[in-house]
């Protein structure tokens, strides 16, 4: 088996903390080189993982010993570098959110399709088997007909210089955290979800949204209530409410890697059942899934990428209309 050879654009925290260790755990992938705007930073990072250091992202894309590029750049830079990586003939695993507008997401998906290259958005939580179990329970009618989905992803404030407080880099809680409950809603309620209303709390000091909520619904009236924040007590959960019970995950987006995940089922008669799922490293599962798709010739980009970006556009539009919040992002960022 020939592993997929990865290059990494940027010495990002998420790359060093999670994705490089994951790439080294997966037989189907091998990290080869990391590029940084700063050579010394690339060398320090590369030394930690026994890979090569490259100065400048363009130089990494020009190498012919790289099959695929992992892009953990600040969110507003994803679209440009995904486009350049695809143009250089590389498969792309991009950090979430893949793009900041639906127009960008659609253009990049079309570019990947035309080039026959694989393009994926790194929603690693989707690869944890606890969600497949929830889907199975719903399909088996264990809680009856789904009525509503509620999900929350909230974290305490980041360090003051974090990219999430930089509007020009695509900062803000919706793009950083809100995307998770939104993607989970798509997973369990399907692709006909529409945005009914939303609120984004604008932080005047940083000029980004630091939290908010959205209400979505399917044409049949099944609702999704999503909330997110980056100035909050930690919470990473979702619940599906059905006509005869409910299913809850208390560590939906960040399940522990060293112990089983717990899926809690509350039945209509008040009893509860706990189902456990063996520990899993979702970062490694995400890398493996991407590498397998590349080795099989690359899949057509998941239509959920564009649907998700459209819903994000709608959430922002509704929030502006409803609250007058103007996030004052630079031209072209959204
Ligand atoms: N899937 C997940 O679980 C997960 C978790 C956390 C974050 N993420 C996503 O990953 C991305 C990176 O997040 P992070 O927290 O790892 O960010 P980070 O540590 O700030 O890293 C971003 C990297 O981008 C490069 N960069 C290029 N231009 C930059 C600029 N103008 N300002 C700052 N950095 C610049 C830098 O690399 P060089 O200086 O080396 O060029 C920097 O190390 C975001 O899109 C985020 O949403 C995903």
């Amino acid at each position: 088996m020939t592993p997929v050879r990865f290059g990494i654009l940027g010495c990002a925290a998420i790359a060093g903390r999670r994705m490089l260790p994951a790439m080294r755990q997966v037989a189907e992938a091998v990290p080869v080189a990391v590029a940084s705007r700063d050579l010394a930073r690339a060398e320090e990072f590369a030394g930690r993982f026994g890979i090569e250091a490259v100065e400048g992202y363009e130089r990494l894309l020009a190498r012919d010993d790289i099959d695929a590029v992992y892009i953990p750049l600040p969110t507003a830079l994803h679209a440009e570098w995904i486009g350049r990586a695809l143009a250089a003939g590389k498969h792309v695993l991009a950090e979430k959110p893949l793009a900041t507008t639906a127009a960008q997401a659609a253009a990049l998906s079309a570019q990947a399709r035309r080039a026959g290259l694989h393009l994926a958005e790194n929603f690693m939580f989707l690869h944890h088997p606890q969600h497949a179990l929830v889907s199975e329970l719903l399909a088996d009618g264990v809680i009856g007909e789904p009525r509503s989905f509620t999900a929350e992803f909230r974290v305490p404030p980041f360090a003051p210089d974090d990219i999430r407080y930089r509007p020009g880099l695509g900062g803000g809680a919706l793009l950083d955290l809100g995307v998770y409950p939104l993607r989970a809603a798509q997973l369990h309620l399907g692709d006909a979800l529409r945005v009914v209303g939303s609120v984004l709390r604008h932080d005047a000091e940083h000029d980004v949204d630091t939290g908010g909520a959205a209400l979505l619904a399917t044409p049949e009236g099944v609702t999704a209530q999503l909330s997110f924040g980056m100035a909050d007590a930690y919470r990473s959960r979702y619940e599906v409410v059905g006509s005869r019970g409910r299913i809850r995950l208390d560590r939906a987006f960040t399940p522990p890697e060293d112990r089983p995940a717990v899926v809690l089922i509350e039945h209509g008669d008040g009893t509860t059942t706990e189902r456990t799922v063996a520990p899993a490293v979702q970062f490694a599962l995400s890398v493996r899934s991407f590498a397998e798709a590349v080795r099989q010739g690359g899949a057509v980009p998941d239509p959920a990428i564009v649907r998700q970006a459209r819903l994000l556009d709608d959430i922002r539009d509704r929030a502006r209309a409803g609250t007058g919040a103007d996030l004052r992002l630079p031209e072209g960022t959204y």
Side-chain angles (χ1 to χ4, degrees):
M1 180 192 67
T2 317
V4 172
R5 299 167 301 174
F6 272 93
I8 295 100
L9 295 193
C11 300
I14 188 63
R17 218 160 20 88
R18 297 301 204 164
M19 288 298 282
L20 263 295
M23 282 177 199
R24 292 174 69 191
Q25 269 181 42
V26 170
E28 294 85 349
V30 60
V32 171
V34 62
S36 172
R37 296 166 299 166
D38 177 274
L39 183 59
R41 194 156 49 239
E43 282 170 343
E44 186 282 323
F45 187 101
R48 276 156 53 201
F49 297 100
I51 59 178
E52 282 185 57
V54 177
E55 185 176 15
Y57 306 149
E58 201 57 71
R59 213 169 275 163
L60 184 138
L61 295 182
R63 287 174 68 130
D64 55 15
D65 61 349
I66 303 279
D67 307 307
V69 177
Y70 167 57
I71 303 187
L73 296 173
T75 295
L77 305 185
H78 291 178
E80 175 190 348
W81 286 100
I82 294 168
R84 289 204 198 190
L86 292 171
K90 310 299 183 198
H91 303 278
V92 176
L93 175 58
E95 265 311 336
K96 44 53 61 175
L98 184 134
T100 55
T101 65
Q104 287 174 350
L108 294 168
S109 294
Q111 185 183 350
R113 227 183 353 257
R114 279 196 306 275
L117 293 164
H118 191 51
L119 171 64
E121 186 173 34
N122 196 29
F123 271 118
M124 35 59 211
F125 83 90
L126 292 172
H127 300 274
H128 194 288
Q130 62 177 348
H131 308 286
L133 175 58
V134 173
S135 297
E136 204 180 296
L137 294 167
L138 293 173
D140 290 348
V142 168
I143 58 165
E145 292 287 318
R147 297 285 191 243
S148 79
F149 175 83
T150 58
E152 270 183 275
F153 199 9
R154 299 177 183 280
V155 301
F158 295 99
D161 60 349
D162 196 280
I163 55 170
R164 290 156 186 82
Y165 296 117
R166 305 267 302 275
L169 295 180
L174 174 64
L175 290 178
D176 194 56
L177 298 157
V179 293
Y180 288 85
L182 185 61
R183 189 64 189 81
Q186 277 206 68
L187 175 69
H188 291 308
L189 301 190
D191 51 15
L193 273 176
R194 294 289 173 268
V195 180
V196 176
S198 60
V199 175
L200 292 176
R201 265 192 322 279
H202 184 250
D203 176 86
E205 185 192 345
H206 299 105
D207 205 13
V208 295
D209 63 297
T210 50
L215 174 67
L216 295 89
T218 67
E220 296 77 34
V222 182
T223 54
Q225 291 166 261
L226 317 177
S227 58
F228 42 90
M230 56 185 204
D232 300 336
Y234 189 81
R235 191 105 191 208
S236 164
R237 63 171 287 283
Y238 71 62
E239 182 172 83
V240 192
V241 179
S243 52
R244 290 200 311 273
R246 47 183 78 207
I247 300 174
R248 197 175 85 215
L249 295 190
D250 284 330
R251 294 294 300 271
F253 308 115
T254 52
E257 296 179 350
D258 55 349
R259 44 184 203 281
V262 178
V263 176
L264 189 80
I265 308 161
E266 277 180 43
H267 305 281
D269 62 3
T271 59
T272 56
T273 311
E274 262 188 25
R275 294 278 300 271
T276 54
V277 177
V281 180
Q282 57 190 13
F283 292 90
L285 294 173
S286 179
V287 170
R288 177 174 297 135
S289 151
F290 177 85
E292 278 171 352
V294 168
R295 288 171 63 230
Q296 285 158 18
V300 171
D302 185 345
I305 291 175
V306 176
R307 279 201 303 269
Q308 168 97 1
R310 280 201 192 112
L311 292 172
L312 285 172
D313 280 357
D314 290 349
I315 288 174
R316 279 188 299 252
D317 288 349
R318 293 271 178 176
R320 285 197 188 101
T323 60
D326 172 6
L327 299 178
R328 286 190 293 284
L329 285 158
E331 220 27 46
T333 304
Y334 279 174

